[in-house]
Amino acid sequence: MSAKKTEATTEAPPEDLTREQLLGMYRRMRLIRAFEDKAKERFEAGEIAGFLHLSQGQEAVPVGVCWALGPRDYITSTHRGHGDVIAKGCEVKRMFAELYGRATGYCKGKGGSMHIADFSQGIIGATGIVSGSLPTSVGIGMGIKQRGGDEVVVCFFGDGATAEGGFHEALNLASLWQVPVVFVCQNNLYGLSQPWEKTAYKCDLVARVGTYHIPGECVDGMDVIAVHRAARKAVERARRGGGPGFIEAKTYRFLGHYVGDPALYMPAEEREAWRKRDAIVKLRGQLLAWGYLTEAEDEAMGAEVAAEIEAGVEYAKASPLAAPETALDELYVHFDYLGNPR
């Protein structure tokens, strides 16, 4: 990352974020990118089974949003959710263990890449069903409201989900019940291989969501500071009892829908233009310009992240495989219809 060319910025440092906060965001984005680089490498080497849906290019969205959350807040995620759960606090070593099918993984090796959950951190789980987490997030929000809690749920989803029935059902109920849910659309401009404009002609998502009387904001998803400010506002509003909110973060995935997809449907000039707007490179340039980071500190951070990634892979490889006889464990909750344990 240190070799990347960065453009000088004339912006002043933000007054609402400290140097430590900005460096923390920068490191977290680098950790997500490095995790996915290594996961892709090991997948292509045949060490990881299943599918990998990478989010490279989108790192600023989950980091900017999760920086506005507390440890008791919740998130739901998608099949492209590595960045979401790392941003909320997942350790990369247990992430790798999950991808390698090891018993030390977050789901004991039974969830894999698309289904990582950790209730202790409010990570309710990712789902491979497009728009599947939206109604779930409303249910979590309703639970918070009924017990009088002050937690907030952030529901991450992609632009493809906005054409699904679950999206509209969730928005309607969230508005009707005024639950503390912040819907975050990571609009990477493609639903699998379909360009956004071919599935939602001239659609203004903020206006569409506004018909449900949910306030929304469209932000540059390649600017972690802009994302964070929008998220902080929506989260604080929901926490105060102001009901649901919506953020559309315009971003881009640098690679295909999954590892192995050559993404021939993504024009080369378009991909190059978005890569020049890489959010990690942008923040690095800002940190250097503001005197918050030196080249030497940047290289040291890169080495630290690389060591964490390598240690994570070694941890996964040294962990035991999930035992076949545990395949059906913890799949069902054994309660009767009144909630009494059986």
Side-chain angles (χ1 to χ4, degrees), residues 211-228:
T211 64
Y212 292 100
H213 299 281
I214 295 176
E217 184 172 353
C218 182
V219 298
D220 179 2
M222 309 305 274
D223 183 339
V224 69
I225 297 173
V227 172
H228 175 69

Side-chain angles (χ1 to χ4, degrees), residues 105-237:
Y106 274 106
C107 301
K108 300 182 180 178
K110 294 183 282 189
S113 169
M114 285 193 280
H115 304 289
I116 291 176
D118 182 13
F119 290 2
S120 70
Q121 298 190 81
I123 301 169
I124 301 304
T127 173
I129 305 299
V130 174
S131 88
S133 64
L134 282 111
T136 303
S137 67
V138 177
I140 301 166
M142 190 61 174
I144 294 169
K145 186 172 182 178
Q146 286 185 329
R147 60 177 165 75
D150 64 351
E151 302 94 332
V152 172
V153 187
V154 163
C155 176
F156 289 110
F157 55 96
D159 46 286
T162 64
E164 297 277 343
F167 173 73
H168 297 280
E169 178 185 359
L171 292 179
N172 180 55
L173 291 177
S175 180
L176 178 67
W177 295 336
Q178 289 294 289
V179 292
V181 179
V182 178
F183 298 100
V184 178
C185 178
Q186 303 188 62
N187 189 347
N188 62 22
L189 309 186
Y190 283 89
L192 208 158
S193 60
Q194 288 299 306
W196 164 246
E197 63 270 17
K198 288 188 177 180
T199 60
Y201 181 66
K202 295 184 178 180
C203 177
D204 181 339
L205 276 178
V206 172
R208 178 187 284 185
V209 172
T211 64
Y212 292 100
H213 299 281
I214 295 176
E217 184 172 353
C218 182
V219 298
D220 179 2
M222 309 305 274
D223 183 339
V224 69
I225 297 173
V227 172
H228 175 69
R229 284 171 175 161
R232 191 170 59 198
K233 187 165 57 177
V235 167
E236 288 175 356
R237 179 177 176 276

Side-chain angles (χ1 to χ4, degrees), residues 58-140:
Q58 302 180 198
E59 294 88 349
V61 184
V63 171
V65 170
C66 288
W67 225 259
L69 299 179
R72 294 188 301 108
D73 293 321
Y74 300 92
I75 68 165
T76 62
S77 185
T78 74
H79 59 286
R80 201 180 307 285
H82 298 152
D84 301 343
V85 299
I86 293 175
K88 186 64 167 66
C90 276
E91 296 179 289
V92 294
K93 68 176 186 179
R94 293 189 64 193
M95 295 272 292
F96 278 120
E98 189 59 41
L99 269 58
Y100 273 81
R102 308 295 170 146
T104 54
Y106 274 106
C107 301
K108 300 182 180 178
K110 294 183 282 189
S113 169
M114 285 193 280
H115 304 289
I116 291 176
D118 182 13
F119 290 2
S120 70
Q121 298 190 81
I123 301 169
I124 301 304
T127 173
I129 305 299
V130 174
S131 88
S133 64
L134 282 111
T136 303
S137 67
V138 177
I140 301 166

